Amino acid sequence: MLVLSRKVGEEILIGENIRLTILATKGERVRIGIAAPPEVRVDRYELHLRRAEGHAETASQGAGERRL
């Protein structure tokens, strides 16, 4: 894992077309702006996990229905 320190207004570039901008800090919270092409999915990790769990449950329920 690469760990960087940035100040408000500074940016980080990932590859050629994803840009992270530090927008604000307030206490322990950091606001980050993300500019990425539309084909790149950007999501909060906890939402990604929830969505993946939902897909796994749906798939297992669907598999169970097929066995009946």
Side-chain angles (χ1 to χ4, degrees), residues 40-60:
V40 175
R41 184 177 193 139
V42 177
D43 210 348
R44 293 187 344 226
Y45 185 66
E46 63 274 14
L47 294 179
H48 169 77
L49 291 177
R50 246 186 272 157
R51 192 174 293 118
E53 288 172 2
H55 287 305
E57 288 175 15
T58 301
S60 66

Side-chain angles (χ1 to χ4, degrees), residues 8-12 19-24 31-35:
V8 173
E10 294 183 331
E11 298 179 336
I12 298 167
R19 191 174 70 229
L20 307 176
T21 304
I22 307 306
L23 301 175
R31 291 190 57 150
I32 301 171
I34 303 168

